[in-house]
């Protein structure tokens, strides 16, 4: 049975005309513009937000180097000369040095206590299964939603009955109790992301639970500790309500109380340059802490998602 095959087209002979077929012209692919409007809008919002945050900060720093006459005559202009005496006057005459020292003692002690106690509680809740585990965990979460204003009056009487009113260590204990719910909630989720094989290997080698926690698991949780430490530092450094109620001794005031007292007293004297200098002094530690540890904060917040 013979089949008819279509012969292959012969190559065109030299000099013979070649038939042209209709070939559509090459069109370059169009650039994808999906999401361009959204990106422009989001970047515009970020620029506006950054401008709203940075402008008051720069204005406060600039004003702290002016004299009182320049603050009112030309508030938006650069200072004609740097008046460093504003800072020295606020540091010595307005007792900002004492307020700063009290704040460092209170925040430093409470931050260490919060991280140690919070990390221990979070490690137990994340790694050990025992009756009441979830109940205790939800108690800490409930503490985050409890308004501190509702506890001020009973808290005042409790601290007073314990003899801790108007004391540095009493304020430290209150700060620790105030910061523990968020710390336990944050670190519990972080400890759950850490591998269990390393802790099991330590147990096989004869390490105790405390040694495994302090020498193995706690160093592995360093990003989470830095992140929650920064958040607690910001909240405790800027805390005003608790020290106002529990710390009425003028010699034990913290920075937030000192700034309010400085604003009241200097408002009558007209020393606005000293007031702005004290305000910048209170802001500098917070800005320095965030600038130094901003990368660790981001790593700690995203570690659970990346693992």
């Amino acid at each position: 049975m013979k089949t008819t095959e279509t012969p292959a087209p012969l190559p065109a002979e030299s000099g013979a005309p070649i038939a042209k077929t209709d070939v559509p012209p090459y069109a370059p692919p169009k650039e994808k513009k999906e999401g361009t409007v959204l990106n422009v809008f989001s970047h515009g919002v970020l620029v506006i937000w950054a401008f709203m945050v940075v402008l008051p900060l720069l204005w406060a720093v600039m004003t702290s180097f002016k004299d009182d006459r320049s603050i009112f005559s030309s508030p938006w202009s650069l200072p004609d000369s740097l008046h460093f005496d504003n800072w020295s006057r606020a540091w010595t005459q307005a007792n900002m040095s004492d307020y700063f020292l009290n704040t460092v003692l209170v925040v430093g002690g409470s931050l260490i206590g919060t991280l140690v106690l919070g990390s221990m509680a979070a490690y137990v809740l994340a790694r050990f299964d025992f009756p009441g585990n979830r109940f205790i965990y939800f108690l800490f979460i409930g503490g985050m939603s409890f308004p501190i204003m509702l506890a001020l009056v009973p808290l005042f009487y409790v601290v007073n009955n314990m003899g801790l009113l108007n004391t540095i260590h009493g304020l430290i204990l209150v700060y620790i109790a105030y910061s523990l719910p968020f710390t336990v909630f944050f670190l519990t989720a972080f400890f759950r992301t850490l591998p269990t094989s390393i802790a099991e290997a330590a147990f096989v080698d004869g390490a105790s639970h405390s040694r495994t926690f302090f020498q193995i698991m706690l160093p592995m949780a360093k990003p989470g500790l830095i992140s929650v430490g920064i958040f607690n530092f910001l909240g405790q450094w800027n805390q005003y309500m608790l020290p106002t109620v529990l710390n009425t001794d003028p010699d034990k005031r913290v920075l937030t109380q000192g700034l309010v007292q400085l604003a009241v007293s200097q408002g009558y004297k007209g020393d606005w340059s000293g007031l702005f200098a004290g305000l910048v002094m209170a802001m500098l530690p917070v800005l320095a802490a965030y600038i130094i540890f901003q990368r660790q904060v981001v790593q700690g917040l995203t570690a659970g998602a990346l693992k």
Side-chain angles (χ1 to χ4, degrees), residues 250-264:
D251 296 332
K252 304 293 179 59
R253 288 173 178 167
V254 294
L255 266 178
T256 51
Q257 295 175 286
L259 284 176
V260 173
Q261 181 64 26
L262 181 62
V264 173

Side-chain angles (χ1 to χ4, degrees), residues 227 290 293-303:
S227 299
Y290 183 77
F293 297 106
Q294 60 176 338
R295 181 174 299 178
Q296 286 81 358
V297 170
V298 176
Q299 290 177 354
L301 292 176
T302 57

Side-chain angles (χ1 to χ4, degrees), residues 9-79:
L10 298 175
E13 298 179 357
S14 58
I18 301 176
K20 295 182 180 181
T21 58
D22 296 335
V23 178
Y26 173 75
K30 296 181 180 180
E31 297 181 358
K32 295 183 178 180
K33 297 183 178 180
E34 298 180 358
T36 303
V37 177
L38 182 60
N39 291 334
V40 172
F41 177 76
S42 60
H43 284 76
V45 172
L46 291 176
V47 170
I48 295 175
W49 179 258
F51 182 78
M52 294 173 60
V53 172
V54 174
L55 182 61
L57 178 63
L58 294 179
W59 182 77
V61 174
M62 180 183 64
T63 307
S64 66
F65 291 102
K66 290 183 177 181
D67 55 3
D68 294 331
R69 182 183 57 82
S70 301
I71 292 176
F72 291 97
S73 60
S74 54
W76 298 104
S77 63
L78 295 175

Side-chain angles (χ1 to χ4, degrees), residues 107 111 115 182-183 186 222-238 285-298 301:
V107 175
L111 193 61
L115 292 180
F182 172 74
T183 303
F186 186 94
K222 182 180 177 181
L225 292 174
I226 293 178
S227 299
V228 74
I230 291 297
F231 289 128
N232 287 329
F233 172 76
L234 296 178
Q236 295 173 4
W237 187 272
N238 297 323
V286 177
L287 293 176
Y290 183 77
I291 292 174
I292 294 174
F293 297 106
Q294 60 176 338
R295 181 174 299 178
Q296 286 81 358
V297 170
V298 176
L301 292 176

Side-chain angles (χ1 to χ4, degrees), residues 122-135 192 209:
Y123 177 74
V124 172
L125 293 175
R127 293 293 181 176
F128 298 96
D129 189 12
F130 56 90
N133 182 300
R134 302 300 297 174
F135 177 74
R192 287 172 179 169
H209 288 287

